[in-house]
Amino acid sequence: MLMNANPLLGCKMPAMSLHVSSLVLLPLLVLSQLLVLPPPTTLAAGHQPHLSKPILARLDKDPSTSLYTISIGAPLVVDLAGPLVWSTTCLPAHRTIPCRSSVCTVANRGGPDACARTRSGDQLLPAGAGSSCVCTARPYNPVTGQCGVSDVTAVPLSANATDGRNPLFPVSFSAFGACAPAGLLASLPAGAAGVAGLSRQPLSLPSQVGSALKVAKEFALCLPSGGGSGAAIFGGGPFQLLAAPPVELAAGLRADPVPLVRNPMNGAYYLPVTGVAVNLARVPLPRGALALDTRRGAGGVALSTVAPYATLRPDVYRPLRAAFDAATSGIPRAAPVAPFEMCYQASALSVTRLGFAVANIDLMLAGGRNWTLPGGSSLVQVNDQTVCFAFLEMGLSGTAAAPGSPAVILGGFQLEDHLLLFDLDKGTLGFSGPLAGIRTGCSNFNFTMGSSF
Ligand SMILES: *[C@@H]1O[C@H](CO)[C@@H](O)[C@H](O)[C@H]1NC(C)=O
Ligand SMILES: *[C@@H]1O[C@H](CO)[C@@H](O)[C@H](O)[C@H]1NC(C)=O
Ligand SMILES: *[C@@H]1O[C@H](CO)[C@@H](O)[C@H](O)[C@H]1NC(C)=O
């Protein structure tokens, strides 16, 4: 569900002979060079009047898969940890990219472990194929873990420029992406045409929007909880939500971000969590349980838009569940509803602006701040009578505790109706906390066309 390694693949590389130690050293050098390389001019944005405005895209939650799609030309599934953009909408006669190009080199870095494992026997092009060799990449389905091998091309994308309050005017541009076979769409929402990776890697959507449109490598993500579109803004600027009165949130988040933890093995975003508390009491966890092992790329607390709920390694899940169980011992229980293990009678819980009134869970961050999960982020209503603890144990209910997986994955349910501001250059995250606390939500962006004058 979250990639755990960073294999170097592709036609220039004798990939099978590379060892993990060399994978760790190479990316930093090449990535930093690539981040400043604009795409070839023929592939850059068309003749737009204001190339330096941020762009806005709608985000929608698919009720049957709990995945989020972004409308950026075609609807693409949002994979916060994904390295690439891929789409099944390429024309048969799409333009290809030479494999001896810097774009091709990075296109083949940063894929998940699963892709590396399917590598043998595929058609990596022979070394020495020269300028006629065509760049391929490995688009990855973050739900099924399936990989494909397909051409890299310039995928046409479109969005609206924005002042952070309204869409202003349409903008077309292109991004390097993989042309995936339709079969790779298995388990994704009906109507989705591919995946948009939003990681800090050079061919992710925010990195490419930054270079193609000459805007900041920063994006604001506001995932809707359903029943209305959320919004993403790429390229900086304000982010305003309707409330009484409307509230601009980006400046405050930008002024007070937390540094993210870098995993050299992938481009995912990790929070610097030092401990977990329930009802202000620290949960006893094994020593180092939350640490990211940068040598193996394992552990840590990662953010994911493809895991529907927080998913925890058993050594973290069990103490947390026990602490929450104890802190809610006075609340009548209900029979568990899969995939959840601990459920309550909805009628026994009172509701506040921040959801069901229960003990808070604090993720204690380095630097002294907390990411606080009130009832709205820790309990999910599964039917009229039942509310469940919205955390899953890795390894159960189809969630693999693969070697190299994070210790904690904060999933979509925990991220919804929070504004998250990722700065790729600084490696920081600004976060709002639950927007319900300020009486707004992610579906309160004003998508009415505004005026740029
Ligand atoms: C721009 O915004 C308008 C109004 O919300 C919408 O109808 C249109 O589809 C958007 N265009 C693009 C390219 O996203
Ligand atoms: C963070 O959470 C811990 C544990 O609940 C609590 O003791 C501490 O006061 C909180 N810090 C802030 C700044 O809220
Ligand atoms: C949404 O934006 C439009 C254009 O700026 C504005 O006229 C309208 O009043 C806004 N809607 C609300 C509810 O503020």
Side-chain angles (χ1 to χ4, degrees), residues 6-232:
N6 200 356
L8 288 170
L9 308 164
C11 48
K12 276 171 70 184
M13 303 291 179
M16 298 309 290
S17 66
L18 279 169
H19 296 290
V20 167
S21 55
S22 56
L23 302 179
V24 183
L25 300 174
L26 274 166
L28 300 174
L29 274 174
V30 189
L31 295 193
S32 54
Q33 287 160 13
L34 247 126
L35 285 167
V36 296
L37 281 186
T41 46
T42 46
L43 300 175
H47 303 285
Q48 303 295 340
H50 310 283
L51 281 180
S52 60
K53 275 216 188 318
I55 56 166
L56 165 72
R58 274 179 193 270
L59 295 175
D60 289 289
K61 182 174 185 178
D62 175 54
S64 56
T65 58
S66 296
L67 295 168
Y68 309 89
T69 53
I70 184 167
S71 303
I72 184 120
L76 302 178
V77 173
V78 173
D79 180 5
L80 193 53
L84 288 177
V85 174
W86 64 260
S87 159
T88 56
T89 58
C90 303
L91 299 172
H94 55 263
R95 183 192 152 139
T96 57
I97 308 284
C99 71
R100 294 184 187 285
S101 62
S102 52
V103 167
C104 196
T105 307
V106 287
N108 285 290
R109 202 195 321 281
D113 255 353
C115 296
R117 285 196 292 271
T118 60
R119 206 155 48 190
S120 55
D122 73 33
Q123 63 352 343
L124 291 181
L125 288 161
S131 56
S132 63
C133 93
V134 161
C135 180
T136 60
R138 295 185 165 267
Y140 170 67
N141 179 320
V143 177
T144 61
Q146 257 189 309
C147 294
V149 178
S150 49
D151 290 354
V152 174
T153 191
V155 178
L157 300 175
S158 59
N160 281 298
T162 184
D163 56 4
R165 292 167 189 89
N166 296 105
L168 297 178
F169 54 85
V171 180
S172 300
F173 60 102
S174 62
F176 295 111
C179 294
L184 205 58
L185 295 172
S187 302
L188 300 184
V195 168
L198 302 189
S199 72
R200 60 182 169 78
Q201 285 153 313
L203 294 189
S204 74
L205 183 62
S207 295
Q208 293 202 69
V209 169
S211 14
L213 300 180
K214 311 263 182 295
V215 289
K217 288 197 173 74
E218 185 194 81
F219 67 100
L221 191 69
C222 207
L223 297 173
S225 48
S229 295

Side-chain angles (χ1 to χ4, degrees), residues 277 280-281 362 364 368-370:
L280 303 177
D362 286 315
M364 299 153 74
R369 287 172 64 193
N370 294 322

